[in-house]
Amino acid sequence: MIPPFVQLPGSPFAVLPPGIHWATLEEIKARFGQTARRAWLFEGVLAVAEALRQANCAHIYLDGSFVTEKPEPNDFDGCWDATGVIAALLDPVLLEFANGRASQKLKYRGEMFVAGFANSGTETFLDFFQRDKFTGAAKGIVGIKLKAIDGAPQ
């Protein structure tokens, strides 16, 4: 279940409370895909989830304004767990980070990073996404178990 938003003092939009909140794609669509813009972005989430699932990725994590109360987010941000991923099956666009990740945004309407890669110093992208960019306070993200998409064991 995706919990209600919380307001962090100094952050312009309410966010999810700290932690990884596991949800199905249907729950994500119901919660975050209810405007025309958000539905369009959610189509990108579906596409990237399927591309990663086909490469044997087990988990992805969604962040960014898409999982806040911001009415019209620009895109979605996220990261994916590389454990068990079959490199030969991975869409090369997911490893293209040039030009502000323009290739990813064009194809998937958002940008995805490798969860365990360093964002800065010793912090991984998975850690980075669990901090509010305006205040530095802890906040939540949404986790998706991709193996559940096709009924495979989780």
Side-chain angles (χ1 to χ4, degrees):
M1 178 184 140
I2 304 170
F5 292 125
V6 296
Q7 186 65 54
L8 297 176
S11 191
F13 302 104
V15 299
L16 294 171
I20 298 173
H21 306 288
W22 296 99
T24 65
L25 290 167
E26 293 80 20
E27 290 168 330
I28 293 165
K29 180 180 182 182
R31 177 74 182 272
F32 302 113
Q34 295 305 306
T35 67
R37 173 72 179 174
R38 286 175 164 280
W40 182 80
L41 291 173
F42 182 72
E43 290 173 1
V45 171
L46 288 176
V48 77
E50 180 58 20
L52 285 162
R53 186 194 66 77
Q54 288 184 13
N56 203 46
C57 179
H59 304 105
I60 64 173
Y61 306 92
L62 292 180
D63 181 48
S65 58
F66 183 72
V67 296
T68 71
E69 72 168 0
K70 183 176 181 178
E72 296 294 318
N74 292 328
D75 64 1
F76 64 87
D77 302 293
C79 58
W80 50 277
D81 185 350
T83 306
V85 168
I86 301 168
L89 300 177
L90 187 64
D91 180 351
V93 168
L94 293 169
L95 297 174
E96 177 61 49
F97 302 106
N99 299 320
R101 291 144 319 273
S103 296
Q104 288 190 35
K105 290 178 184 177
L106 181 64
K107 185 169 187 175
Y108 294 113
R109 305 173 184 172
E111 50 196 310
M112 298 291 285
F113 299 87
V114 180
F117 280 14
N119 176 49
S120 63
T122 60
E123 182 180 60
T124 66
F125 278 99
L126 185 59
D127 296 329
F128 171 74
F129 285 139
Q130 293 182 72
R131 254 187 320 102
D132 181 67
K133 73 178 183 179
F134 299 100
T135 67
K139 68 171 187 61
I141 59 175
V142 177
I144 305 164
K145 296 179 181 182
L146 294 181
K147 298 289 186 174
I149 290 176
D150 63 0
Q154 297 182 29

